Amino acid sequence: MNSNSFNKNDLKDCYDQYFDAIRNYIFYKVKDVALAEDIVQETFIKLWKSRETVRKETVKSLLYTIAGNTVINHFNHMKVVRNHENEVITTKGRSSGESPLYLLEEKEFQLKLNAIIEMIPEGSREVFLMNRIEQLKYSEIAERLELSVKAVEKRMSKALVIIREQLGRKI
Amino acid sequence: MGSKEDRYHQYLNEDKANESEWSAEDREMIEFLEKSRGLKTPAFPQTKDTLWETIENEIVSEDVPSGSSVGSKFSWYAIAAALTVLILSGVAVFSALNHSEEVVFTTGIAENTSVDLPDGSVVYLNSESNLYYDQDWDRSLKLQGEAFFEVTKGSIFTVNTSMGDVKVLGTSFNVAIRENMFAVSCKTGKVEVNFYGAKNSAVVLTKGQTVLFDSYKVITGDIDIDKIASWQIGEFYYASRPLSEVFEDIRRHYNVTIKFAEKDIDARLFNGYFYTENLKTSLSWICDPMGLTYKINGKEVLIESKD
């Protein structure tokens, strides 16, 4: 990446390198695969539009920031009210009774797992999933989301509290 | 934050678990955390390369004006938006456009009917619904209530309602506009839904997708093709909808009045279904999972809590 200009090849490099991580991150937030795909496209296009100001060293966290903001904009746009009881985006298959978001081997445990993860609020949820699914350390998560490690810990703690509460209830 | 929390963080961060230090309660947590490591995201519809192509096309057209929607697939909205007429109140529009001859189809309670439109399209009207179109047929009509549409291929076909409109080129889909609720499900083809309650909101649905707008939220999701407009065969499915909506469908189908013994009952959310074999069976399908009972008194049904 030339320090003066960010060209299409640079964008493609970024895309190749960060696509999976960014798409997953968006998915953890919106819980809908088709929507996640739309937003990841928007994210890279927005990166392109602000290419004058992109610096190689910070492009990864910039992508996370753009992705996060695009998710927020999307919901504001649709005047969506997200409320713990009436989670807005129904997951693929909720209407048809198939298996929900995340795949795992044992069906029963999977349902419980999914139900619990859905109760973790956004913010904590993606930290939890980035750690569990992508095996990222707190320091890596902190770097990508531009948070302090302490902040990542706090969000993870919040997820743990909810998990503990839910496990305590015999589902 | 005690040392127990720290141990969890150490486990999560470094993948280390000193078995001896965990209590019985912890073990359940650790098992959960361990298993969640095996999680995978579900399959995404499009591949990385396909998505890149769309992005590539978008950035080649350099002079995309700022503020416009992103992505080539959104350009369709731009055209449709220009054609959309802002309808502020259902009643006003209907009377304003009444200057030319209007064709009207109405269904009463517990009545379904099918309507053949001038272009060969067919509309199946659910109970308590109204359909209006100009005798000077222009592939647009107004709907109150609920209907399933089978639209022949051709120019843009528009369904107008007081809460939003639906545009298609040729496809089949269900539109329901009831008390504070506007929902569209696409059975075949592609459908564009415009909700008047939110600025610049347009949703494109493809086969098997559904969108529902009520007073304050938008829900999009997937729906079994077989469940779209299943009211036609007497099957009613609900994904977290208030009982008021569910019992309204009972009322419309069986022509009974519903009364609730307690005020909050009709706000409770229902996740399930009922079939219209007979009133008693339908009521059981709804009441049993919700801990409610029903009493039938002629044309009146009383719903109350089991306690």
Coordinates of all heavy atoms in Angstrom, one line a residue, chain A residues 34, chain B residues 73 76 171-173 184-193 203-211 221-223 225 228:
Chain A
A34 N -28.1 -13.1 5.6 CA -28.2 -12.2 4.4 C -28.0 -10.8 4.8 O -27.3 -10.1 4.0 CB -29.7 -12.4 3.9
Chain B
K73 N -27.2 -3.4 -6.2 CA -28.6 -4.0 -6.1 C -29.6 -3.0 -5.5 O -30.7 -3.2 -5.6 CB -28.5 -5.3 -5.2 CG -28.4 -5.1 -3.7 CD -28.4 -6.4 -3.0 CE -29.6 -6.5 -2.1 NZ -29.7 -6.7 -0.8
W76 N -32.4 -0.4 -7.7 CA -33.8 -0.7 -8.0 C -34.7 0.1 -7.1 O -35.7 0.5 -7.5 CB -34.0 -2.2 -7.9 CG -35.3 -2.7 -8.5 CD1 -35.6 -2.4 -9.8 CD2 -36.2 -3.6 -8.0 NE1 -36.8 -3.1 -10.1 CE2 -37.2 -3.8 -9.0 CE3 -36.4 -4.2 -6.8 CZ2 -38.3 -4.6 -8.8 CZ3 -37.5 -5.0 -6.6 CH2 -38.5 -5.2 -7.6
T171 N -44.8 -12.2 -9.7 CA -44.4 -13.1 -8.6 C -45.6 -13.5 -7.7 O -46.7 -13.1 -8.1 CB -43.4 -12.4 -7.8 OG1 -42.9 -13.3 -6.8 CG2 -44.0 -11.2 -7.1
S172 N -45.4 -14.2 -6.7 CA -46.6 -14.5 -5.8 C -46.2 -14.2 -4.3 O -45.0 -14.4 -3.9 CB -47.0 -15.9 -5.9 OG -46.0 -16.8 -5.6
F173 N -47.1 -13.6 -3.6 CA -46.7 -13.1 -2.3 C -48.0 -12.8 -1.5 O -49.1 -12.6 -2.0 CB -45.9 -11.8 -2.4 CG -46.6 -10.7 -3.1 CD1 -47.3 -9.7 -2.5 CD2 -46.6 -10.7 -4.5 CE1 -48.0 -8.7 -3.2 CE2 -47.2 -9.7 -5.3 CZ -47.9 -8.7 -4.6
V184 N -45.6 -8.7 4.8 CA -45.5 -9.2 3.4 C -44.6 -10.5 3.4 O -43.5 -10.5 4.0 CB -44.9 -8.2 2.5 CG1 -44.9 -8.7 1.0 CG2 -45.7 -6.9 2.5
S185 N -45.1 -11.5 2.8 CA -44.2 -12.7 2.6 C -44.1 -13.0 1.1 O -45.1 -13.0 0.4 CB -44.9 -13.9 3.3 OG -45.1 -13.7 4.7
C186 N -43.0 -13.4 0.7 CA -42.7 -13.6 -0.7 C -42.7 -15.1 -1.0 O -41.9 -15.9 -0.4 CB -41.4 -13.0 -1.2 SG -41.1 -13.3 -2.9
K187 N -43.5 -15.6 -1.9 CA -43.6 -17.0 -2.2 C -42.7 -17.4 -3.4 O -42.0 -18.4 -3.4 CB -45.0 -17.5 -2.4 CG -45.1 -19.0 -2.5 CD -46.6 -19.4 -2.1 CE -46.7 -20.9 -2.0 NZ -47.8 -21.4 -1.3
T188 N -42.8 -16.6 -4.4 CA -41.9 -16.8 -5.6 C -41.5 -15.4 -6.1 O -42.1 -14.4 -5.8 CB -42.6 -17.4 -6.8 OG1 -43.7 -16.6 -7.2 CG2 -43.2 -18.8 -6.4
G189 N -40.4 -15.4 -6.8 CA -39.9 -14.1 -7.4 C -39.3 -13.2 -6.4 O -38.7 -13.6 -5.4
K190 N -39.5 -11.9 -6.7 CA -38.9 -10.9 -5.8 C -39.9 -9.8 -5.6 O -40.7 -9.4 -6.5 CB -37.7 -10.3 -6.6 CG -36.8 -9.4 -5.8 CD -35.4 -9.5 -6.4 CE -35.1 -8.3 -7.4 NZ -33.6 -8.2 -7.6
V191 N -39.9 -9.2 -4.4 CA -40.9 -8.3 -4.0 C -40.3 -7.1 -3.3 O -39.4 -7.3 -2.5 CB -41.9 -9.0 -3.0 CG1 -42.7 -8.0 -2.2 CG2 -42.9 -9.9 -3.8
E192 N -40.7 -5.9 -3.6 CA -40.1 -4.7 -2.9 C -41.2 -4.2 -2.0 O -42.3 -3.8 -2.5 CB -39.6 -3.6 -3.9 CG -39.0 -2.5 -3.1 CD -38.9 -1.2 -3.9 OE1 -38.1 -1.1 -4.8 OE2 -39.7 -0.3 -3.6
V193 N -40.9 -4.0 -0.8 CA -41.8 -3.5 0.2 C -41.4 -2.2 0.7 O -40.2 -2.0 1.2 CB -42.0 -4.5 1.4 CG1 -43.0 -4.0 2.4 CG2 -42.2 -5.9 0.9
V203 N -37.6 -2.7 1.6 CA -37.0 -4.0 1.8 C -37.3 -4.9 0.5 O -38.4 -4.8 0.0 CB -37.7 -4.7 3.0 CG1 -37.2 -6.1 3.2 CG2 -37.4 -3.9 4.2
V204 N -36.3 -5.6 0.1 CA -36.6 -6.5 -1.1 C -36.6 -7.9 -0.5 O -35.7 -8.3 0.2 CB -35.4 -6.4 -2.1 CG1 -35.6 -7.5 -3.2 CG2 -35.4 -5.0 -2.8
L205 N -37.7 -8.6 -0.8 CA -37.8 -10.0 -0.3 C -37.7 -10.9 -1.5 O -38.2 -10.6 -2.6 CB -39.2 -10.2 0.3 CG -39.6 -9.3 1.4 CD1 -41.1 -9.6 1.8 CD2 -38.7 -9.5 2.6
T206 N -37.0 -12.0 -1.3 CA -37.1 -13.0 -2.3 C -37.8 -14.3 -1.7 O -38.2 -14.2 -0.6 CB -35.6 -13.5 -2.7 OG1 -34.9 -13.8 -1.5 CG2 -34.9 -12.3 -3.4
K207 N -37.9 -15.3 -2.5 CA -38.7 -16.4 -2.1 C -38.3 -16.9 -0.7 O -37.2 -17.1 -0.4 CB -38.3 -17.5 -3.2 CG -38.8 -18.9 -2.8 CD -38.4 -19.8 -4.0 CE -38.6 -21.3 -3.6 NZ -38.5 -22.2 -4.7
G208 N -39.4 -17.1 0.1 CA -39.2 -17.6 1.4 C -38.8 -16.6 2.4 O -38.4 -16.9 3.5
Q209 N -38.9 -15.3 2.1 CA -38.6 -14.3 3.1 C -39.8 -13.5 3.5 O -40.8 -13.4 2.7 CB -37.6 -13.3 2.5 CG -36.2 -14.0 2.3 CD -35.2 -13.0 1.8 OE1 -35.5 -12.1 1.1 NE2 -34.0 -13.3 2.3
T210 N -39.8 -13.0 4.7 CA -41.0 -12.3 5.1 C -40.5 -11.0 5.9 O -39.5 -11.0 6.5 CB -41.8 -13.2 6.0 OG1 -43.0 -12.5 6.5 CG2 -41.1 -13.7 7.2
V211 N -41.4 -10.0 5.9 CA -41.1 -8.8 6.7 C -42.4 -8.4 7.4 O -43.5 -8.5 6.8 CB -40.5 -7.7 5.8 CG1 -41.5 -7.1 4.8 CG2 -40.1 -6.5 6.7
G221 N -37.3 -12.1 8.3 CA -36.9 -13.5 8.6 C -37.2 -14.4 7.5 O -37.7 -14.0 6.4
D222 N -37.0 -15.6 7.7 CA -37.3 -16.6 6.7 C -38.6 -17.3 7.1 O -38.9 -17.5 8.3 CB -36.2 -17.6 6.6 CG -34.9 -17.0 6.0 OD1 -35.0 -16.2 5.1 OD2 -33.8 -17.2 6.6
I223 N -39.3 -17.8 6.1 CA -40.5 -18.5 6.4 C -40.6 -19.7 5.4 O -40.3 -19.6 4.3 CB -41.7 -17.5 6.3 CG1 -43.0 -18.2 6.6 CG2 -41.8 -16.9 4.9 CD1 -44.2 -17.2 6.7
I225 N -42.0 -21.9 2.7 CA -42.9 -21.5 1.6 C -44.3 -22.0 1.9 O -45.3 -21.3 1.6 CB -42.3 -22.2 0.3 CG1 -40.9 -21.7 0.0 CG2 -43.2 -21.9 -0.8 CD1 -40.8 -20.3 -0.4
I228 N -46.6 -19.7 3.8 CA -47.1 -18.4 3.2 C -48.5 -18.5 2.8 O -48.9 -19.4 2.0 CB -46.2 -18.0 2.1 CG1 -44.8 -17.8 2.6 CG2 -46.7 -16.7 1.4 CD1 -43.8 -17.4 1.5

